[in-house]
């Protein structure tokens, strides 16, 4: 027998993914509860890490856009001799 657990990866108030785990079933209920709490905690940390990576990617894209805009404005200013 195989046990399946699907844990939501949460960041703030949204789900950014799902952690799927397959494994051997645990027999002891206390062990099951502590393992589930640990897996949920890990899922929350992964969710925050994913969210942080997405925010960083967005900032890097915005920086590229602003750098391009700055270069264009400098070129226009040079042409107009401002």
């Amino acid at each position: 027998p195989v046990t399946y657990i699907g844990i939501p990866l949460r960041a703030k108030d949204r789900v950014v993914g799902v952690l799927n785990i397959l494994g051997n079933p645990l027999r002891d209920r206390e062990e099951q509860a502590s393992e589930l709490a640990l897996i949920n905690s890990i899922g929350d940390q992964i969710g925050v890490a994913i969210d942080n990576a997405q925010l960083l990617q967005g900032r890097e894209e915005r920086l590229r856009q602003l750098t391009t805009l700055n270069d264009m404005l400098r070129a226009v200013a040079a042409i107009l001799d401002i």
Side-chain angles (χ1 to χ4, degrees):
V2 175
T3 299
Y4 166 80
I5 300 172
I7 301 295
L9 305 177
R10 295 180 291 258
K12 300 174 186 156
D13 292 332
R14 62 190 181 94
V15 175
V16 295
V18 177
L19 176 62
N20 296 302
I21 300 173
L22 297 173
N24 296 326
L26 300 172
R27 296 195 175 144
D28 184 88
R29 285 201 183 272
E30 270 185 43
E31 196 173 279
Q32 287 176 353
S34 68
E35 292 287 324
L36 189 56
L38 175 63
I39 292 168
N40 273 308
S41 176
I42 291 169
D44 288 342
Q45 292 176 28
I46 293 170
V48 170
I50 290 170
D51 189 52
N52 286 342
Q54 290 172 341
L55 289 171
L56 179 60
Q57 185 178 19
R59 287 182 59 124
E60 289 172 346
E61 177 60 28
R62 183 70 176 144
L63 178 60
R64 280 191 292 277
Q65 292 171 347
L66 291 173
T67 300
T68 300
L69 179 59
N70 186 38
D71 292 343
M72 291 169 51
L73 291 174
R74 284 178 186 235
V76 169
I79 291 169
L80 297 176
D81 197 30
I82 296 178

